[in-house]
Amino acid sequence: MSQYPSNSHYPIVPPTTNFRAMEENGPQIMARGKGIYQWDKAGKQYLEGMAGLWCTSLGYGNEEIAETAAEAMRTMGFAHMFSGRSHEAGIRLAEKLTEMLPMEDSRIFFGVSGSDANDTQIKLMRYYFNAIGKPEKKKIISRHLAYHGVTLASGSLTGIPVNHALFDLPLPGFLHTECPFYYRDSMDGESETDYADRVLVYLEKMIQTEGPDTIAAFIAEPIMGAGGVILPPEGYFPKLRALLDKYDIFLIDDEVICGFGRTGNAFGCETFGFRPDTMSMAKALTSAYMPLSAVAIPESMYQAMVDPCAEQGAFGHGFTYSGHPVSAAVALKVLEIYERENVFAHAAKMGAYLQQKLQHFSDHPLVGNVRGTGLIAGVHLMKDKETRTPFKPGIAGPTVIAACFENGLVLRNLGDVIAICPPLVITEPEIDELVDKLGKSLDSAQEKTGLKG
Ligand code: PLP
């Protein structure tokens, strides 16, 4: 459905896109949005079932947020936080976050994206362990299929092959352990808890082989989003937490997708019952109206860096847009709306409804597994459900997504997992519409291509 003149030169190097496929098909150009709907350039309406890139939690066209941004721009379009400078919106936002976070005593570093938040996490670990005289404690363990961003360092945390290939990633010092993918990797008859124990045995072996004194931190998304909406198996996080405590390893909680209500609680770590040492946040922090990320660290970590900063003359890390005042004002407004409108409780209620409705697809011939919690879900397409045999790569997922587009539904395929992650403000009738359109799309994908269940 290209609306870009096919004889024109498309002037963009597109992010996370198959260049050749896009040249053949052209870009899909969206023109405007309202609530949970978007309209393309030709005027066709879509239910936006992916909240953009897991981020537009309050939907599109929110006048109150637009007004807040306009006012903030009029008041002070820019102010920075270098060299002891600050501003009210940034301070109030940090205060608000530290009140909300499930951490006892924290301080906030602001950035602009999830990737830079995770870069900051890595740099803070290095700085901190150098500061406390443990310079050998530097490695970071992530998981296969994790997604933590695409900069050189956060891309090294990411465990998805396409984000590494040809970029010479991961960099040294980044390790990847088992992804806890119960549906794909469990053995016949193995319970979720037994499976969780098994993957944690592999992790413990890795820690012992590498040497616990060389490992600074373990990073995890509560639900692995871009890797295929992978939920932690029963008991995984509490046992992981205990294992990391045993070896004195930090747990970095990447809440870039789960943070701010996605799983029905404010943070994913609350849903899955674990205590983070540090946290990364972005996306729904501003409902994606403005770019903003935040890293929360414990007070003890901050205090350990004070003397070294004084010796060096400064903490040599910060972005021009760290705590941008317009983004901070927007985030404050978004957090106010979450609270005022009980958005997280609404997400929990709508989430239960969505999950229950999606379960009907378990019987669909193309579907092997339906999983999710709150307002995030994955419908995993499978050639043979019994033997968990996947389709040939690159066919089933894109075919279903193309059918969704035809039916006026925006979703995203992660390989053969159809990801569903609507704005948190979605209502029951809108969920009915989403599920109905997805059902039609699965049927037509099956008919058109002869995809076999
Ligand atoms: N962490 C997680 C869990 C993500 O899902 C993403 C992006 O989807 C990122 C980090 C990177 O965020 P950004 O794309 O804003 O750099």
Side-chain angles (χ1 to χ4, degrees):
M1 78 151 215
S2 178
Q3 300 134 4
Y4 195 75
S6 55
N7 56 355
S8 304
H9 173 70
Y10 182 63
I12 294 173
V13 179
T16 310
T17 295
N18 176 338
F19 290 176
R20 172 149 315 131
M22 206 215 60
E23 283 188 10
E24 280 164 14
N25 304 323
Q28 292 158 344
I29 304 177
M30 289 300 179
R32 68 189 176 90
K34 186 75 194 164
I36 66 155
Y37 295 97
Q38 275 189 329
W39 287 264
D40 69 18
K41 217 177 146 197
K44 179 170 172 169
Q45 179 177 324
Y46 300 84
L47 192 160
E48 218 280 75
M50 258 309 283
L53 290 170
W54 331 82
C55 53
T56 59
S57 46
L58 294 176
Y60 301 93
N62 185 305
E63 288 297 335
E64 200 181 346
I65 299 172
E67 204 34 63
T68 300
E71 186 52 33
M73 283 181 185
R74 277 183 217 112
T75 309
M76 185 164 61
F78 176 74
H80 66 80
M81 291 190 165
F82 281 32
S83 313
R85 301 263 285 273
S86 196
H87 50 78
E88 278 295 317
I91 295 168
R92 283 204 291 128
L93 177 60
E95 282 171 355
K96 180 77 201 157
L97 285 173
T98 54
E99 276 164 35
M100 282 182 79
L101 294 180
M103 286 171 65
E104 256 172 35
D105 217 355
S106 56
R107 295 208 186 208
I108 307 293
F109 177 91
F110 287 119
V112 282
S113 71
S115 297
D116 74 45
N118 287 327
D119 262 35
T120 294
Q121 294 275 12
I122 298 161
K123 291 183 79 177
L124 284 167
M125 291 298 159
R126 292 184 173 197
Y127 207 92
Y128 170 75
F129 282 110
N130 285 330
I132 65 166
K134 293 190 178 174
E136 69 293 341
K137 208 165 165 64
K138 295 282 167 59
K139 291 177 202 162
I140 305 205
I141 303 180
S142 178
R143 302 178 291 180
H144 296 297
L145 290 185
Y147 190 84
H148 298 293
V150 292
T151 57
L152 282 174
S154 66
S156 296
L157 297 173
T158 289
I160 298 177
V162 74
N163 298 114
H164 288 170
L166 281 73
F167 294 114
D168 300 338
L169 292 179
L171 297 173
F174 295 90
L175 309 167
H176 293 85
T177 185
E178 251 68 23
C179 147
F181 200 162
Y182 178 73
Y183 169 65
R184 191 190 65 177
D185 294 340
S186 58
M187 295 185 290
D188 284 345
E190 192 176 30
S191 72
E192 285 200 30
T193 42
D194 286 349
Y195 173 71
D197 290 345
R198 184 156 64 87
V199 281
L200 292 173
V201 167
Y202 297 138
L203 173 61
E204 184 158 19
K205 279 196 188 129
M206 174 184 265
I207 293 171
Q208 288 169 345
T209 308
E210 295 289 329
D213 293 345
T214 70
I215 300 165
F218 183 96
I219 185 164
E221 305 153 80
I223 291 178
M224 302 174 75
V229 190
I230 302 162
L231 275 79
E234 186 78 37
Y236 174 82
F237 271 114
K239 286 180 192 159
L240 171 72
R241 176 72 263 187
L243 183 65
L244 299 177
D245 283 344
K246 178 171 161 191
Y247 292 105
D248 202 15
I249 295 170
F250 276 124
L251 175 50
I252 304 172
D253 177 15
D254 184 342
E255 294 273 356
V256 168
I257 287 181
C258 291
F260 307 101
R262 180 55 58 192
T263 63
N265 290 301
F267 297 99
C269 61
E270 295 166 316
T271 300
F272 298 110
F274 69 95
R275 170 182 53 81
D277 290 304
T278 69
M279 289 172 72
S280 296
M281 294 154 273
K283 296 191 189 276
L285 172 55
T286 57
S287 185
Y289 276 84
M290 287 293 290
L292 182 69
S293 65
V295 168
I297 59 166
E299 179 65 19
S300 53
M301 194 171 179
Y302 172 81
Q303 288 301 339
M305 299 190 291
V306 173
D307 283 348
C309 284
E311 276 160 33
Q312 297 301 320
F315 175 60
H317 176 68
F319 305 107
T320 299
Y321 301 130
S322 280
H324 192 290
V326 179
S327 302
V330 165
L332 275 167
K333 178 53 75 180
V334 165
L335 296 182
E336 180 194 317
I337 296 173
Y338 287 155
E339 215 168 285
R340 192 183 71 211
E341 316 274 329
N342 280 321
V343 172
F344 303 163
H346 175 80
K349 192 161 165 233
M350 291 304 110
Y353 184 69
L354 173 72
Q355 302 297 339
Q356 171 228 320
K357 293 215 69 166
L358 288 177
Q359 275 310 324
H360 298 309
F361 293 133
S362 299
D363 296 333
H364 194 280
L366 293 186
V367 176
N369 181 239
V370 179
R371 51 182 181 263
T373 193
L375 282 172
I376 179 167
V379 172
H380 200 149
L381 309 175
M382 206 42 77
K383 186 168 169 46
D384 185 333
K385 298 176 196 256
E386 300 307 317
T387 56
R388 287 180 286 181
T389 307
F391 287 103
K392 231 171 96 194
I395 297 169
T399 305
V400 171
I401 290 303
C404 287
F405 254 81
E406 259 173 49
N407 289 319
L409 174 64
V410 176
L411 294 178
R412 187 167 166 221
N413 70 297
L414 310 162
D416 281 349
V417 178
I418 306 301
I420 300 153
C421 182
L424 302 182
V425 291
I426 195 166
T427 61
E428 275 191 17
E430 290 166 344
I431 290 175
D432 291 342
E433 185 187 337
L434 186 160
V435 171
D436 185 51
K437 287 187 159 151
L438 176 57
K440 285 197 181 110
S441 307
L442 286 167
D443 292 346
S444 71
Q446 190 193 359
E447 276 164 29
K448 262 194 218 152
T449 60
L451 283 175
K452 199 175 81 62

